[in-house]
Amino acid sequence: MNAVGATGASGSISLGAVLRFEWTKLAGRRITWVPFLVLTLVVLIIVTTFHHLQFIYARSLFKTFGFVFQNKDEFVNGYYMTAHAMNPVFQLLMPIFISVAAGLMVAGEAEHGTLRACLVRPVSRTRLLLGKFVMLAGYSLALALFAIVLLTATGVLSFGTGNLYSLNILFNNGQEGASMVPAAEVPMRLVGAWLLATTGLMILAAMALLISALVESAAMAYVLTLSIYFAFLTLRSFPFLDWLYPYLFVTHMLRWQQCFYSFVKTGEIYVSLIHLAGYLIALLAAAVLLFEQRDIKN
Amino acid sequence: MTALLVAEGLTKVFHRRFARGGDLCAVDDVSFTVHRGNVFGFLGPNGAGKSTTLRLILGLIYPTAGRVAIAGHDLSTDRLRALRNVGAFVEAPSFYPYLTGRKNLEIFTGLSGGVPAAEIDRVLELTGLKGREHEAVQVYSHGMKQRLGIAACLLPRPELLVLDEPTDGLDPHGIRQTRELIVHLARAEGLTIVLSSHLLSEVENLCNRVVILDRGRSILEGELAALERQCRRLEVSVDRPEKAAALLREKFGLAAEIHDTAFQAVQDHGQDARATGLHVVLDGTDLAAVNTALVQAGFAVRSLAPEARWLERIFLERTSSTDPGVRATEAQR
Ligand SMILES: Nc1ncnc2c1ncn2[C@@H]1O[C@H](COP(=O)(O)OP(=O)(O)O)[C@@H](O)[C@H]1O
Ligand SMILES: [Mg+2]
């Protein structure tokens, strides 16, 4: 390796050099690769289950909304599997993976003393933290892409394609009824859902990093982050609190679920995107400001 | 000699909301100047505030009051430029255990703008890690980690080296090697070095200037040679000590103190166990002249030697044990 990353006019090294630094650390840690393994196992379990289930209960639910199916082959296909598997993957697994990665990035490094080893070098704290955010965002993006590609590929290979029928209540979006998306439209809907879901995860990444930048241990960071996330998710499961939904960040994080409606409400999606952008800026600004002022005591 | 590091009125209060003792002033109005070419030592018992002071001068924590400037750059307004020519570790060097020693050096130096591979080789050679550099840091011994810590501080070549208890936890070989390395870096490579230690011999052997810290306060600061002249006593074992003291006062203007710590030494030599001695600070007076004067005046001088562990005496006299258990037993006496 020859003289990496020249120092800029500000005296600090470039964001690119910080990213290379973060990448080396991320890639070298075994725990970074565990989520990919977990996702693979989860997808394998889902495929196996889909092979064996008869979907009798789902069929009776569809019937109450006017979709009558004689057997599961009429509605269970690769798209159905992908869309429905996105729920646990993006609501449960991804937040856990991201919280852990974020917790290790700042609080974990503080705990192990490597944060102070970084900060006695002429690198701006803001740039270091933003570098970590970009790396975390990239990591989330890669995980999300991996999950959705693996799900779609195994789903389509095992069960073929077809129209996507879905029960709205499964997506917990406060809407009754069932939806149908024509087969030709599904790939675009999946891409849209992936993009929106990943954008939502960025908020969680920013929040996790903010918390990570403030506490002294990785465990504290991810316990706090996940507690906040799941507390808000729980609020969303009480129907009598539906007036509160638009003000909860998790509502906007889960807006991707609407991509599987019969008709996409673009207006609501734009509102969510604006909210997500607002949360992102606020969380990152808070993280940077507080991290600049924090005493590195470990 | 120009000043490289200036600290003025450094104060750090830790707000401890839930602790019984309340807020803690870990560093209290400490000022010092490190000139280029100095080996500057912070000496103090555990918990005296050495690491906290080093954290303050590296910008890891923010002072409650006071300022720090390195090479003319104020740390609070120009941190990046101030730290550009500094290599440091505080508490203990830390690394990513799952990466190799060399990879660790590469990524940390990357944060300072990077260094050529040959430079990394040179420093690995210097710290005796050549050959082990491709092993993960988690298999390194404590001594190797400590040396890797110093290696990291030397890349890219700094002007100021800040080392917090560099020999902490090392075996006697490790301590000696590390001290030799520090001497080499100061003499041959001309680095300015700030180090902390709770080991007196270390500071005495390595440093030319010291600050003794106790409970956050600087209780003694200066050139080691000057401190030695002011504080190091001559221990004289002599008959009729009162008369001898009078003679020294008359002839050299020296204030001699009658003491019986010479007692033990005399006993060890199998001589009159009741003989007492004098303690006298020479402050520049020629030792041989004192000896001649006493002998010519007919005193029986049994021994006459500069105090061996003068720094330890000052340290013990003026600093407190921070261990509450020890303090309690002291109070009972
Ligand atoms: N983060 C912190 N919060 C509260 N007190 C602290 C903190 N860090 C250090 N201290 C206290 O400050 C004092 C000085 O500690 P330190 O600088 O580590 O001492 P030394 O390095 O000389 O052994 C100690 O009493 C220690 O308990
Ligand atoms: Mg210490």
Side-chain angles (χ1 to χ4, degrees), chain A residues 94-155:
Chain A
M94 294 295 290
I96 294 174
F97 298 153
I98 292 174
S99 303
V100 170
L104 291 174
M105 271 184 171
V106 193
E109 290 218 23
E111 201 175 352
H112 285 112
T114 44
L115 187 62
R116 63 169 190 260
C118 295
L119 291 177
V120 298
R121 298 200 171 254
V123 58
S124 122
R125 286 192 185 190
T126 299
R127 198 164 292 184
L128 189 69
L129 197 68
L130 289 180
K132 284 178 189 289
F133 177 73
V134 173
M135 193 46 67
L136 185 63
Y139 179 62
S140 317
L141 208 74
L143 271 174
L145 187 65
F146 179 79
I148 201 115
V149 167
L150 194 66
L151 272 173
T152 316
T154 49

Side-chain angles (χ1 to χ4, degrees), chain B residues 45-52 54 90-92 164-165 168 196 198:
Chain B
N46 291 322
K50 304 180 295 290
S51 298
T52 306
L54 297 186
V90 194
E91 226 69 78
D164 193 6
E165 312 221 4
D168 194 37
S196 79
H198 62 273

Side-chain angles (χ1 to χ4, degrees), chain A residues 4 109 113 116 121 292 295-296, chain B residues 12 62 92 94 96 112-113 152:
Chain A
V4 275
E109 290 218 23
R116 63 169 190 260
R121 298 200 171 254
E292 279 285 345
D295 278 347
I296 309 296
Chain B
K12 179 67 185 179
Y62 296 101
S94 33
Y96 301 100
S112 298

Side-chain angles (χ1 to χ4, degrees), chain B residues 221-240:
Chain B
E221 197 225 323
E223 294 281 338
L224 203 59
L227 290 178
E228 180 173 351
R229 208 171 51 234
Q230 284 160 25
C231 304
R232 191 174 195 174
R233 299 188 296 211
L234 181 69
E235 294 176 340
V236 188
S237 168
V238 66
D239 62 338
R240 296 173 289 139

Side-chain angles (χ1 to χ4, degrees), chain A residues 1-7 9-13 21 24-25 28-29 109 112-114 116-125 128 292-298, chain B residues 12 14 55 58-62 79-81 83-84 88 90-92 94-96 98-99 103 106-117 152-153 155-156:
Chain A
M1 191 173 79
N2 275 319
V4 275
T7 49
S10 63
S12 178
I13 56 160
F21 176 71
T24 312
K25 292 188 291 185
R29 232 184 348 234
E109 290 218 23
H112 285 112
T114 44
R116 63 169 190 260
C118 295
L119 291 177
V120 298
R121 298 200 171 254
V123 58
S124 122
R125 286 192 185 190
L128 189 69
E292 279 285 345
Q293 279 158 34
R294 173 183 166 184
D295 278 347
I296 309 296
K297 294 175 187 169
N298 289 79
Chain B
K12 179 67 185 179
F14 285 116
R55 280 174 197 278
L58 293 167
L60 287 174
I61 59 178
Y62 296 101
R79 175 177 156 265
L80 299 179
R81 254 179 273 273
L83 291 181
R84 187 174 283 171
V90 194
E91 226 69 78
S94 33
F95 297 99
Y96 301 100
Y98 49 89
L99 297 176
K103 199 81 207 166
E106 280 173 5
I107 63 174
F108 277 119
T109 54
L111 284 181
S112 298
V115 295
C153 294
L155 293 166

Side-chain angles (χ1 to χ4, degrees), chain A residues 98-108 111 207-228:
Chain A
I98 292 174
S99 303
V100 170
L104 291 174
M105 271 184 171
V106 193
E111 201 175 352
M207 189 176 82
L209 207 65
L210 166 64
I211 291 169
S212 188
L214 297 183
V215 302
E216 311 264 332
S217 84
M220 183 67 132
Y222 38 77
V223 166
L224 273 180
T225 311
L226 288 174
S227 301
I228 292 172

